[in-house]
Amino acid sequence: MFAYTIRRFLTLIPMILIMTFLIFLGMDLTPGDAVSFMASPEAMANMSQAQLAQLRESLGLNDPFFMRYLTWLGGVLHGDFGYSLTSGVPIKDIVLSRIPATLELSVAALLISTFLGTILGLVSAVRKGRPVDHILTITGMIGVSIPEFFLGLVALLLFAINLNWFPIGGRLRPEYTVYWDHMKNLILPALVLGVTMTAGVMRYTRSSMLDTINKDYIKTARSKGLPEWRINLVHGFRVALTPVVVLIGFRLPILIGGSVVIEQIFQWPGVGNEFLGAVRSQNYPLVMMIALFSVFAVLIASFIIDLLTAALDPRVQLD
Amino acid sequence: MLNRQLILDKKMDRIRSMEESGTFKVHKGSRGMQKMLHNKLSIAGLVIFSVIMITSMFAPLFTSFDPLAIDLKAVLQSPSTTHWFGTDKLGRDVFSRVLYGGRISILVGFGSALGASFVGVLLGAWGGFRGGFIDKVFMRVSEIFMAFPQIILVLLLVSIVGQSMRNLIFIFMVTGWGSIYRMTRAKMLSIREEEYIQALRAFGIHPLIICYKHMLPNALGPIMVNITLSTAMFILQEAALSFLGLGVPLQIATWGNVLNAANDLTVLKSYWWIWLPVGVVISLFVLGINFIGDGLRDAADPSQQG
C-alpha cells in the first residue's frame, strides 16, 4: 500500500508540470504586461521608466520563454501567485479569502445530494419495476434536464422573493454576529446545487444496489429468514455503497465547476464568483491562477480517491 | 408475482392463437428500432423534440414578429393574443425570440456534439485499433482536458479566444472530444480481439479499411447514445454561458440570451413571462433528448430485452 501511494503520487508530478506549463503558456499568450502582475502596484507607482526596465530585467522577463517558466514555477511553488490586474491584491490572498465560502457551499451540496441520492436510489432499487421506481427514474431525468441556473432562479423567486423564507443572496451580512446566523443564506443555494446533483447519485446507487441484491449471499440471507428491511439495509445497502463513495469523490470537480453558476445567482462570494468576475474583466492572471488552482484540487482529489478505492476494495490490484 | 405469471400466460396464449390463425405479424426492421418504438418515454421524447425542433426551424411560419425588432411602444407587455409570451424590456416579442433562439441554441448543441464526436471517434477508433505511442499521447491529452472542471475550462477558453458563436462551438468541441475518444477507444479495444479481425488481417486488408470500415460500425451503438447525451449537455452549457453573458454575443437571440434578462431582479420578480417560458422550453427540449438517449441506450444494449 505504501509503495502504491508513492507510485501514484509520482504520476501526479508530470501531470502537474504539464498543467502549470499550459497555464503559463496561456498567460504568456494573453494580452497584458507581465510586470503588472509580478510586482505589487505600490512598488510600481513610484517607478520611472528606467527603473521599470531594470525591474523587468531583474524579474527575468527578458529571459527566454523556458527560463521564465521555471522562475514562475518556482514562485508558484513558494506560494507567490502574482498580483491581480484590476485590484492589485496578491492573487493568493484573493483565492484564500474566497475558499471558505466555496467549500461551505460545496460540502453542503455534497451532503444533500449524497443523502437524498443514496436513499432515493435504495428505494428505487428495492421497488424495481413498481410505480415508485418509475416515478423516481422519470423525476431523475427531469432533474438532469433542467438547467441548474433556471432551477436557481425559480427557487429564488418562490422561496426568497414571494414567500420571503430566505434572504435573496449574499453570505455574511453586517448584522450577523454568530457564524450560524448565515445558515439561512446557505440553505437555498446548497439545496439547488445539491438537488441538481442528486439524480446522478440516485441512478448510480440504484444500479449498484441492483447488482448487489442479485448476489448469492443475499439469497442466503433471505433463506435464513431475515426480515426484508435487514437484508436490504444491512446486507445489501452497505456493500452497494462502496462504488457510490467513489462516485461522490468523482463529483468534486463538478462541484467546483457547478458552483460557478449557482454562486453567481445567489451572489455567493466564492471562488466561482471571483472567477467569473475575472473572466468578465479580462483579468487574465487571476483567471489562469484560479483555473490552475481548481486543476490542483481535482488532481489531489482523484489521488485521494484512488487511494481510498484501493483501501476499501481488496480486489483492486495495486500495480 | 402470481399476478405477473397470469399476465405472461395470457400474453403467450394470445400470441399462440394469433400464430394459429395466421394473423401474427413478424416484425420487420431492426430489433433495436422496434425496442425503441415500444419505449413510451422515448416516443414522448421524440414528440417533444420534434415539436420544438420544427417550430424553431420553421419559425417564420409560427410568428410574424422579428426577434430583434425593438418596439418601444410595446415594452414589457404581459402575454396576450398578439404577443403569446409577452414582450421584453425593449418591446421585442418573447415568443418569436424563443423560436428563433432555438435555431441558434440547437445549432450550437448539435454542431458541437457532432464536431466533438467526429474528432473523438476518428482519433479514438485509430487509437483503440493501433494502440502504441499515438494512443498514449491522445490519452494523455484527453486526461489533461478532463482534469479541468468543465465549466472552468470553457470559461478559461472563452476569455482567451473571445465570444462568438463559432468560437463557442470550437470550445465545446475542444472540451468535449475527450470522453468520446475514451469511449470509442474502449469499444474498439474489445472488438480488436474478435476473430473476424484476425481473418481480415490475414487477408492482408489495409489497416485503415479494417479500422474504419469493418470495426467502427460495430462500435457505433453506444457512441450514438453518447452523441445524443452530449447534445443535451452542450445545449445546457450554452444556455448557462449565455445566461452569464459569456456565451453567444447578446445581440443574437438564443435561449440563454433570452434568459439573460432574468439577471435583473425586477425582471425576475415582476415580469415572469420573459424568462419562465424559455426556461421551460430548454428543460423540455433537453428532457426530450435525454428520453431519446435513454431509449437508444436500451435499444443498443442486447442484455436488455424489451
Side-chain angles (χ1 to χ4, degrees), chain A residues 11 14-15 18-19 22-23 26 30 137-138 141-150 153-154 156-157 161-162 168 203 253-254 256-258 260-261 264-265 272 275-276 278-280 282 284 287-288 290-292 294-295 298-299, chain B residues 41 140 143-153 155-156 158-160 162 236 239-241 243-246 255-256 259-260 262-263 265 268-270 272 275-280 282-284 286-288 290-292 294 297:
Chain A
T11 59
M15 202 64 179
I18 294 174
M19 286 298 179
L22 287 178
I23 292 289
T30 46
T137 310
I138 294 177
M141 297 271 276
I142 295 174
V144 290
S145 304
I146 298 177
E148 51 184 8
F149 66 92
F150 182 59
L153 290 175
V154 174
L156 196 63
L157 181 70
I161 296 175
N162 285 349
I168 288 175
R203 199 171 198 163
I254 307 175
I256 299 172
V260 172
V261 183
Q264 168 75 20
I265 291 173
F275 185 69
L276 266 180
V279 170
R280 288 218 176 97
Q282 313 223 308
Y284 294 112
V287 171
M288 296 292 175
I290 293 181
L292 185 64
S294 65
V295 170
V298 171
L299 286 179
Chain B
L41 284 183
R140 254 298 130 88
E143 246 170 61
I144 291 171
F145 280 112
M146 289 167 90
F148 283 94
Q150 183 97 6
I151 192 148
I152 301 266
L153 183 58
L155 285 173
L156 179 77
V158 167
S159 83
I160 294 177
L236 285 181
L241 280 180
F243 169 73
L244 294 173
L246 292 164
W255 284 340
L259 261 167
N260 187 282
N263 272 316
L265 212 56
L268 186 68
K269 217 186 305 192
S270 322
W272 56 270
W275 59 275
L276 199 65
V278 69
V280 173
I282 300 177
S283 308
L284 277 177
V286 173
L287 186 67
N290 279 334
F291 278 159
I292 295 172
D294 223 44
R297 194 206 315 269

Side-chain angles (χ1 to χ4, degrees), chain B residues 6 25 44 54 74 79 139 146 182 184 194-196 206 234 281 288:
Chain B
L6 272 175
K25 271 186 283 187
I54 289 170
M139 269 309 258
M146 289 167 90
R182 278 158 175 256
T184 315
E194 293 199 16
E195 275 166 10
Y196 76 96
H206 195 276
F234 288 136
V281 168

Side-chain angles (χ1 to χ4, degrees), chain B residues 36-55:
Chain B
M36 173 102 185
L37 291 177
H38 279 291
N39 185 338
K40 282 185 198 114
L41 284 183
S42 58
I43 291 301
L46 212 58
V47 170
I48 299 172
F49 174 81
S50 323
V51 167
I52 298 178
M53 187 83 173
I54 289 170
T55 42

Side-chain angles (χ1 to χ4, degrees), chain B residues 138-198:
Chain B
F138 285 139
M139 269 309 258
R140 254 298 130 88
V141 177
S142 75
E143 246 170 61
I144 291 171
F145 280 112
M146 289 167 90
F148 283 94
Q150 183 97 6
I151 192 148
I152 301 266
L153 183 58
V154 169
L155 285 173
L156 179 77
L157 290 173
V158 167
S159 83
I160 294 177
V161 300
Q163 266 174 270
S164 78
M165 200 176 97
R166 209 176 300 161
N167 283 354
L168 203 63
I169 295 180
F170 167 74
I171 289 169
F172 284 157
M173 274 171 65
V174 167
T175 55
W177 69 276
S179 63
I180 295 171
Y181 174 84
R182 278 158 175 256
M183 182 157 195
T184 315
R185 176 182 175 273
K187 198 79 192 129
M188 292 296 274
L189 276 179
S190 68
I191 294 178
R192 194 171 67 173
E193 303 305 320
E194 293 199 16
E195 275 166 10
Y196 76 96
I197 304 300
Q198 308 276 330

